[in-house]
Amino acid sequence: MTFNANTFSGAITKALVLKSGRSTIYANTIGSSLDPGAGAANIGIDVVAGNHTLGDESQTHNTINGYAVGINVDNNATASGAFNKFESNTKDVTTNKAANSFLEILKSWFGHAEGPEDDTGQGSGGVVEGNVEYSPFITTDDM
């Protein structure tokens, strides 16, 4: 399944929940008007199972804005992608280390030229936690 050139906006708690199979998601604006947090603007893209592609550098970028977590990968799921723009999320990306979830999200903007803040405290941009490969990242927001 492919999701492209869509706008998700308004009072959204979770924009996309991917529970199985494969999908490709690019050129979307995924935002919420709710305050970030549990029971409110919780997760922009929630990868529960399967293997998914989130963003494509040959296409227009995804923008994920205003969630507690921009992208979450859980339950031994995997995802990869490039060319995503994270703005105003409490955490940009999280994975479940205990479940061996993994996300490779390269060439993306995390809100700062030094890249995202990871589990080691490196970087000054949006927060990434868990098994996340994010380098190389984009150093300007003019995507």
Side-chain angles (χ1 to χ4, degrees), residues 29 37 59 88 117 119 143:
T29 300
Q59 307 292 335
S88 302
E117 180 182 335
D119 292 342
M143 299 175 71

Side-chain angles (χ1 to χ4, degrees), residues 1 4 16 23 40-41 51 54 66 73 87 96 103 120 122 134-135:
M1 182 174 291
N4 73 304
L16 293 170
S23 65
N51 187 350
L54 311 174
V73 181
E87 298 178 326
N96 185 336
L103 175 62
T120 67
Q122 181 176 343
Y134 58 82
S135 184

Side-chain angles (χ1 to χ4, degrees), residues 25-30 45 53-64 71 80-86 103-110 133-143:
I25 301 168
Y26 65 91
N28 298 287
T29 300
I30 302 169
I45 300 174
T53 302
L54 311 174
D56 180 342
E57 66 182 290
S58 66
Q59 307 292 335
T60 303
H61 64 275
N62 289 311
T63 298
I64 303 168
I71 297 174
S80 63
F83 221 54
N84 291 281
K85 186 174 187 177
F86 297 96
L103 175 62
E104 179 182 77
I105 196 84
L106 308 176
K107 299 178 183 173
S108 293
W109 170 250
F110 294 94
E133 177 62 44
Y134 58 82
S135 184
F137 51 84
I138 293 175
T139 60
T140 63
D141 69 349
D142 60 349
M143 299 175 71

Side-chain angles (χ1 to χ4, degrees), residues 17-23 47-52:
V17 179
L18 308 172
K19 293 187 175 183
S20 65
R22 293 179 174 271
S23 65
V47 181
V48 178
N51 187 350
H52 306 278

